[in-house]
Amino acid sequence: MSDKTDDTGAADGAAAQRVAKLIARAGVCSRREAERLIEQRRVAVDDQTLTTPAVTVDDPQRITIDGERLPQPEPTRIFRFHKPSGVVTTERDPEGRRTIYEVLPDGLPRLMPVGRLDLTSEGLLLLTNDGALKRRLELPDTGWIRRYRVRVFGDPDADQLATLQQGITVDGVRYGSIDAQVDSKAGANTWVTVSLREGRNREVRRVMEHLGYRVNRLLRVAYGPFQLGSMKPGEVKEVPPKVLAEQLGLAQSPERKVGTAKAKPPKNARKPDKPRKPAGGKPGNKPAGRAANRDPQGQQDKQSKPHAHRRRTS
């Protein structure tokens, strides 16, 4: 064991990695949650309780959580979930609101959300059992485009929306390039397709409201190569292993193989999550296009276009 803080895991040997990272790769929890477990003195290495996450280890089997040995990593799995409006993307909510884990069906492995969607936002939410992969997919450096269908009250000016490609500062926060294009109009409302890479907290709503357009519906239809497709609210579909291997290059990973085999979660692990199918396309470097809105089976993305005829001026 080493107390070096090299996050690349290069301390005391090429195989040494941070304890929190190894816990996440074993599917126990996310990296950040693993660091909290360490701070709570619940993690030990060789029976020595850790007091800091700045520790690297060369063998995951030396790690215990609440006295239990770290489980072997499960095969990496990703699920597509159509998050309904009105549920929180968290495990527990102090306000007692319904969470995604109450909506997800039984029988799934313990899953973690890749990024979040606000309470009133809906659409595609990726779920994975791999904490390290979760962190990787959330980073802006991954370069994956998040695409949304946004209904706003008003009549956005196309030239004004085009300026968002240069980025914009709202209340002191700088947002990167955003591609926003008017799609259709229905009475006092307008549907706008928005594509971005950062996906910061409430980014779409804040930017639109800064321009003077109040968002009354927000639907995420794509996250990188994965599409919402024709999935209904609450529906879950697993991404096939072959698609994961093609899109994420996980087949070459010596630590975690792509597959669908199930493994028992360790004691004190989170609630489980659910399965879903993949969505076509290559790691999202192309903005929205109707031809790209097809799932791996070639199904037309019906959900990408919410019913614009439903008026709503609230």
Side-chain angles (χ1 to χ4, degrees):
M1 179 171 69
S2 169
D3 60 359
K4 292 184 179 180
T5 58
D6 182 4
D7 196 33
T8 64
D12 295 350
Q17 298 182 53
R18 281 206 173 196
V19 171
K21 183 175 182 180
L22 293 173
I23 292 175
R25 286 191 174 179
V28 176
C29 60
S30 70
R31 196 165 175 174
R32 185 175 301 175
E33 292 166 335
E35 292 176 348
R36 283 198 286 266
L37 290 177
I38 294 173
E39 293 172 356
Q40 295 167 4
R41 309 293 180 87
R42 296 174 59 187
V43 180
V45 174
D46 296 333
D47 296 325
Q48 297 181 29
T49 300
L50 300 185
T51 59
T52 171
V55 174
T56 57
V57 175
D58 57 3
D59 181 6
Q61 290 304 297
R62 297 168 57 193
I63 302 171
T64 57
I65 301 176
D66 295 333
E68 293 192 8
R69 193 70 58 187
L70 199 65
Q72 291 292 338
E74 301 176 13
T76 293
R77 303 172 73 183
I78 290 183
F79 300 83
R80 294 183 299 147
F81 172 52
H82 186 160
K83 174 194 171 298
S85 176
V87 297
V88 186
T89 310
T90 186
E91 182 178 0
R92 300 180 186 85
D93 181 62
E95 298 180 32
R97 294 171 296 185
R98 198 179 188 196
T99 72
I100 59 172
Y101 293 97
E102 297 176 69
V103 176
L104 291 167
D106 296 330
L108 296 173
R110 190 200 64 80
L111 299 173
M112 296 165 279
V114 177
R116 293 177 179 273
L117 283 173
D118 297 333
L119 174 68
T120 56
S121 297
E122 54 192 298
L124 180 63
L125 182 65
L126 297 182
L127 305 167
T128 181
N129 64 339
D130 186 333
L133 179 61
K134 161 185 163 67
R135 183 173 183 273
R136 168 186 159 193
L137 298 185
E138 289 175 340
L139 295 174
D141 293 344
T142 302
W144 276 3
I145 290 179
R146 286 82 154 163
R147 188 165 71 253
Y148 302 81
R149 292 265 301 160
V150 187
R151 188 175 65 190
V152 300
F153 181 73
D155 188 10
D157 179 73
D159 292 335
Q160 183 184 36
L161 294 179
T163 63
L164 296 177
Q165 295 184 358
Q166 308 304 316
I168 187 173
T169 300
V170 179
D171 296 331
V173 178
R174 181 66 183 176
Y175 297 105
S177 177
I178 299 174
D179 181 74
Q181 300 179 14
V182 172
D183 187 66
S184 61
K185 297 180 181 179
N189 294 305
T190 302
W191 282 101
V192 180
T193 297
V194 176
S195 301
L196 47 86
R197 297 180 188 277
E198 291 181 310
R200 295 188 181 184
N201 184 36
R202 298 182 63 83
E203 179 173 349
V204 175
R205 294 181 186 277
R206 287 174 175 168
V207 169
M208 287 296 163
E209 289 174 4
H210 178 76
L211 296 180
Y213 307 109
R214 180 163 52 85
V215 174
N216 51 49
R217 190 178 178 192
L218 189 151
L219 177 76
R220 183 157 66 194
V221 296
Y223 194 109
F226 304 108
Q227 313 284 328
L228 179 65
S230 58
M231 293 175 60
K232 299 178 181 179
E235 188 175 0
V236 181
K237 293 184 179 181
E238 183 167 7
V239 176
K242 181 179 179 180
V243 174
L244 288 187
E246 293 174 348
Q247 300 294 347
L248 305 177
L250 295 178
Q252 289 72 39
S253 172
E255 299 169 346
R256 185 182 285 281
K257 296 181 180 180
V258 174
T260 56
K262 296 183 179 180
K264 293 182 179 180
K267 187 178 181 180
N268 296 321
R270 272 191 187 174
K271 291 182 181 179
D273 273 19
K274 329 329 172 171
R276 49 154 64 197
K277 282 187 182 178
K282 294 186 178 180
N285 288 324
K286 293 184 180 181
R290 287 182 173 77
N293 273 343
R294 295 177 181 272
D295 64 21
Q297 286 74 38
Q299 269 192 321
Q300 182 65 36
D301 183 357
K302 299 176 182 178
Q303 199 66 30
S304 303
K305 270 193 124 159
H307 300 295
H309 68 276
R310 295 182 181 175
R311 285 195 174 187
R312 192 169 174 184
T313 59
S314 58

